[in-house]
Amino acid sequence: MINELYNAAPYIDQFQGTVFVVKIGGEVLQNPRQLESLTRQILVLWQIGIHPVVVHGAGPQLDDAIAQSGAKPTKIDGRRVTDENVLRLAVQTFRGTANLALVSALVKQRVPAVGLSGIDGSTLTLRKRPPVDVGGKMVDFGFVGDAVNVNADLILSLIEADYVPALCSLGADMDGQVLNINADTMACELAVGLNAEKLIFITDKPGILHDQKDESSIYSVLDAKDIERLKSEGVISGGMLPKVTAALGALKRGVSRVHILGADEDDALLEETFTNQGCGTMITLSREAE
């Protein structure tokens, strides 16, 4: 234990006072054991002076709500098509049940969490996405927004007051129209806007895998060239696509490190932060730059 503390000391010194944006998948919110483990780790980060900002998705919860409404979820390249009914359900699910579940879990661990959306304080201004070409077909994603501005004032004020912001993936345009935004993309935008030291994705996989059926086949480090190759080979697909796209976007715009970690791995967040070996997959722009 003493050796572990000595080994962690340089990392504590390095990261104290910095911002970590931690994105949690909606499936984690549905798993009590994973949620308790993760919120306890966030407590440790906060206690030693790191500033966690948590962004959460709620995809499985929204899928359930859509099914209960008698409709079917529609996703293209891992991104959701949002019509009026889906938007209504997203507001109820994201800002309501899912966000409250996360904040409650954090408060249970004595983390002073504050539940928000990107709409609060005009934190995230979006523009409704026009129809886009996806595989040679024009697709209208509906009430889905792309970020045009991040106003970090509210988040920074909460951080300064020693609170932990927990945000769901909703924003609004200049006219106040609520729009859905992919939670991975939102986490990227906030990480850039907050000059975050790390952007960390917590997923149901232990990292990016070569073989989806073999959780030991983790890529420890990938750069931009690796990712393009793996995308073309179909190794990276589905819900992992928006994560790696957000990761590369964040790195290109100044975020120091991006990591993809498994929610089911004990203390993955702490191990990645405070040990030499780390865990999961670290994404960089270029291996030569490391």
Side-chain angles (χ1 to χ4, degrees):
M1 174 63 74
I2 296 299
N3 285 337
E4 291 176 357
L5 289 173
Y6 277 127
N7 292 335
Y11 297 102
I12 294 174
D13 184 61
Q14 178 182 357
F15 296 132
Q16 272 186 333
T18 66
V19 172
F20 285 14
V21 173
V22 181
K23 189 271 175 174
I24 303 173
E27 64 280 352
V28 175
L29 300 183
Q30 294 180 318
N31 187 312
R33 186 187 64 78
Q34 291 179 351
L35 184 58
E36 180 179 9
S37 172
L38 185 58
T39 52
R40 289 178 64 182
Q41 293 176 73
I42 290 172
L43 171 66
V44 173
L45 296 182
W46 174 75
Q47 286 177 323
I48 66 173
I50 292 170
H51 303 301
V53 174
V54 186
V55 177
H56 71 85
Q61 295 89 330
L62 181 54
D63 285 344
D64 290 344
I66 293 170
Q68 290 173 15
S69 76
K72 292 184 178 180
T74 302
K75 298 177 185 176
I76 299 173
D77 281 351
R79 296 184 182 273
R80 185 183 300 278
V81 177
T82 305
D83 60 18
E84 288 187 4
N85 180 54
V86 172
L87 180 64
R88 176 181 60 83
L89 294 171
V91 170
Q92 294 174 0
T93 304
F94 294 0
R95 189 66 177 92
T97 53
N99 191 256
L100 187 60
L102 175 57
V103 172
S104 297
L106 287 164
V107 169
K108 182 179 179 181
Q109 299 296 336
R110 303 297 185 265
V111 177
V114 177
L116 303 163
S117 72
I119 303 168
D120 295 285
S122 299
T123 297
L124 190 62
T125 301
L126 306 178
R127 178 188 297 116
K128 188 174 183 293
R129 182 181 301 167
V132 294
D133 188 320
V134 179
K137 180 181 178 181
M138 295 303 292
V139 175
D140 185 351
F141 282 93
F143 291 94
V144 171
D146 296 312
V148 295
N149 186 60
V150 174
N151 175 8
D153 290 351
L154 176 59
I155 305 301
L156 291 173
S157 295
L158 290 169
I159 288 173
E160 186 176 352
D162 215 18
Y163 290 103
V164 173
L167 296 99
C168 67
S169 54
L170 295 169
D173 65 16
M174 294 294 292
D175 295 323
Q177 171 62 57
V178 178
L179 296 169
N180 187 9
I181 180 172
N182 180 274
D184 298 322
T185 303
M186 180 173 179
C188 168
E189 294 298 326
L190 287 176
V192 172
L194 292 165
N195 297 313
E197 179 69 23
K198 288 181 181 289
L199 170 58
I200 303 168
F201 295 99
I202 307 294
T203 75
D204 58 350
K205 299 292 184 181
I208 296 178
L209 305 177
H210 176 71
D211 180 353
Q212 297 302 311
K213 297 180 180 179
D214 180 5
E215 295 201 344
S216 68
S217 63
I218 304 173
Y219 291 101
S220 297
V221 181
L222 292 173
D223 66 11
K225 290 181 180 178
D226 296 327
I227 287 173
E228 290 306 314
R229 174 177 56 82
L230 294 175
K231 285 166 62 177
S232 67
E233 294 173 355
V235 174
I236 296 176
S237 61
M240 191 60 75
L241 283 170
K243 290 179 178 56
V244 297
T245 300
L248 292 176
L251 291 166
K252 290 175 182 177
R253 295 160 65 194
V255 175
S256 298
R257 293 286 187 276
V258 180
H259 307 268
I260 297 178
L261 309 177
D264 212 34
E265 301 294 306
D266 289 338
D267 297 328
L269 182 55
L270 299 181
E271 184 178 342
E272 181 57 47
T273 303
F274 300 120
T275 67
N276 288 324
Q277 67 272 20
C279 62
T281 301
M282 181 173 75
I283 300 176
T284 69
L285 286 178
S286 172
R287 292 177 187 269
E288 289 75 14
E290 293 298 309

